[in-house]
Amino acid sequence: MATHVRHPIGLPALRPADARTFASLYAVESFARATVSSVIPIQAYEILRNEQIVSILYTVVALLGLSVTLFMPMLIRRFARRWVYTAGACLLAVGSLFFVTHTLTGQLVGMLCRVMGASALSITLSLYIMDHIRKTDFMQAESLRMAWSMLAWTSGPTLGIFLYTRFGIYAAHGAVAIFAMALLALFWTYRLGDNPSIRPGKTRPANPLANIGRFVAQPRLRLAWLIAFGRSCFWTTFFVYGPLFMVITGEGELAGGLLVSAGNALLFTAIFWGRVGQRFGGRRTMTSAYFAMSAMLLAAGAVGESVPFLTGALLLCGAFFAIALDALGSTAFMRSVRFYERAQMAAVYRTYLDFSELTPPLVYSVVLAFFGLGSVFATLGLLAAVCGFVTWRYLPKSL
């Protein structure tokens, strides 16, 4: 009918994506991952009753997750970035279903879903950030992202332990599913679009082996990977062996959760480190942070199990300097990668997280066969010293 007019439906206007957009997404994602960050290693220890076998379990999961990370560009080409991000959030929720079985198989599959989900979320979010944030603003944006995640990484581990010990396994892992769905709703509310340069048919072939070769051929990318690997090894050790250290030394599960939460509470200093980096330069700041972190870890290894709370305090000091690397480290990659191969190189760069979950447990399982639990922290301190030297020697002063 001529009198029947179909009026257009107005969609609410959204402001362009900026640093706060990605900080909010990362904050909600952090809640989904942090809530059971202390529960998972304790749950694995309850099932296996051996810290060395727990290390082997983490090694197996990281090795399986590594292959998924390398094939992520192919998934992005095939299904588009927004669907890969969606799948990543869903995998965090699905992993909770396996964890509640409290069996070795459920633990393995749940950990694998968690690793795959984190990989998908990390790579796609990095691509969105590089699309919408100027290179000169990377340092500020990354420090803001870390600072906004402070509440999640501070309260999440303690909340998870509280739910696990007070209300049981379903409450702890059910909270993860709720946060994962909230992340999904927030992401689709922002309606982030894919960059046309990485849509199917418009990018270079995403062969994983070719991508690795291309990545390794670029010295700046190799250095960025090492910087990220070193600081990620610290957090892997802190999240897994910190709670285990407190349980094994008789301080209890709650002490382990509080240790992790206290370390994560320091994330608010990310903004401080961002300003320090802008004032003194990324090279000088990251080098100093690595050497200071190494000193704290070597001291923690020397004290070991003799004074557990002193060891915990030294680990917290190490966390303070690790946050400097969280706030500044990724800028080395973002400023070095070429625009047309961001998706491929981001996937290879993301393997630092897989290797940081794979290598330390593998090395520690050997070290623990000969020395006490404090040797774990001393070993990590040596790695931090090496990373500090390489950063000082090869990172450009202009960064």
Side-chain angles (χ1 to χ4, degrees):
M1 297 174 58
T3 58
H4 182 75
V5 179
R6 186 180 298 274
H7 297 284
I9 299 175
L11 293 176
L14 293 178
R15 58 179 174 80
D18 57 15
R20 288 174 295 177
T21 302
F22 305 112
S24 62
L25 285 171
Y26 187 69
V28 179
E29 176 197 335
S30 296
F31 266 112
R33 294 193 292 117
T35 303
V36 290
S37 62
S38 296
V39 172
I40 292 174
I42 292 174
Q43 189 174 327
Y45 184 72
E46 289 178 350
I47 295 172
L48 298 170
R49 291 295 174 184
N50 185 299
E51 61 267 28
Q52 189 173 5
I53 300 179
V54 170
S55 293
I56 295 174
L57 175 63
Y58 271 85
T59 301
V60 171
V61 170
L63 188 61
L64 293 173
L66 176 61
S67 59
V68 176
T69 298
L70 291 175
F71 280 91
M72 200 61 66
M74 299 180 69
L75 295 177
I76 293 174
R77 280 172 54 86
R78 176 63 181 85
F79 299 106
R81 194 190 306 172
R82 61 185 178 274
W83 295 115
V84 175
Y85 189 97
T86 298
C90 291
L91 279 170
L92 295 182
V94 171
S96 299
L97 298 177
F98 288 97
F99 279 123
V100 296
T101 64
H102 207 264
T103 62
L104 180 57
T105 300
Q107 187 78 10
L108 175 62
V109 177
M111 291 172 69
L112 184 58
C113 287
R114 181 178 166 86
V115 168
M116 292 189 299
S119 175
L121 292 171
S122 175
I123 291 174
T124 49
L125 187 64
S126 293
L127 293 175
Y128 282 124
I129 289 173
M130 287 187 283
D131 280 350
H132 293 88
I133 304 297
R134 294 180 301 178
K135 283 190 175 183
T136 54
D137 295 332
F138 281 154
M139 196 172 293
Q140 180 182 2
E142 286 299 283
S143 61
L144 182 67
R145 186 163 66 98
M146 292 299 110
W148 275 39
S149 67
M150 178 200 67
L151 181 61
W153 290 109
T154 300
S155 61
T158 302
L159 173 64
I161 290 292
F162 173 76
L163 292 174
Y164 186 65
T165 56
R166 181 64 64 89
F167 299 103
I169 193 172
Y170 287 95
H173 292 288
V176 173
I178 293 173
F179 284 126
M181 293 301 100
L183 172 64
L184 203 55
L186 183 63
F187 171 74
W188 282 97
T189 298
Y190 284 143
R191 300 201 298 270
L192 296 174
D194 286 9
N195 189 310
S197 67
I198 65 168
R199 286 177 184 167
K202 294 188 178 182
T203 57
R204 293 186 172 191
N207 181 281
L209 294 180
N211 293 339
I212 294 174
R214 180 63 183 155
F215 189 97
V216 173
Q218 301 180 60
R220 292 276 297 270
L221 295 185
R222 295 200 306 265
L223 177 59
W225 188 95
L226 180 65
I227 293 172
F229 172 75
R231 54 101 167 169
S232 188
C233 282
F234 173 86
W235 290 116
T236 296
T237 304
F238 188 77
F239 287 145
V240 176
Y241 294 91
L244 279 180
F245 179 82
M246 289 300 174
V247 171
I248 292 171
T249 54
E251 303 301 329
E253 297 175 345
L254 184 58
L258 290 173
L259 174 65
V260 173
S261 292
N264 290 324
L266 296 172
L267 280 169
F268 78 91
T269 63
I271 293 179
F272 161 77
W273 285 117
R275 292 173 180 172
V276 171
Q278 289 178 321
R279 172 66 178 83
F280 297 101
R283 176 176 176 264
R284 183 183 301 178
T285 304
M286 285 188 276
T287 299
S288 300
Y290 257 128
F291 284 137
M293 184 173 72
S294 174
M296 295 300 104
L297 289 168
L298 291 173
V303 175
E305 301 173 44
S306 59
V307 189
F309 281 110
L310 177 57
T311 301
L314 290 168
L315 291 177
L316 288 178
C317 291
F320 172 71
F321 296 107
I323 290 167
L325 299 164
D326 284 337
L328 307 177
S330 59
T331 59
F333 169 76
M334 291 181 174
R335 290 185 178 181
S336 302
V337 65
R338 292 179 171 87
F339 175 83
Y340 60 82
E341 56 183 7
R342 282 177 174 175
Q344 297 92 327
M345 296 302 101
V348 181
Y349 174 72
R350 174 54 175 68
T351 61
Y352 78 81
L353 192 54
D354 298 292
F355 274 100
S356 70
E357 294 177 351
L358 170 66
T359 309
L362 181 62
V363 174
Y364 299 156
S365 64
V366 176
V367 172
L368 288 170
F370 300 96
F371 304 101
L373 193 55
S375 63
V376 166
F377 309 127
T379 303
L380 181 61
L382 295 176
L383 172 64
V386 172
C387 291
F389 173 78
V390 174
T391 301
W392 170 78
R393 178 68 178 82
Y394 296 104
L395 190 67
K397 295 182 180 179
S398 59
L399 182 68

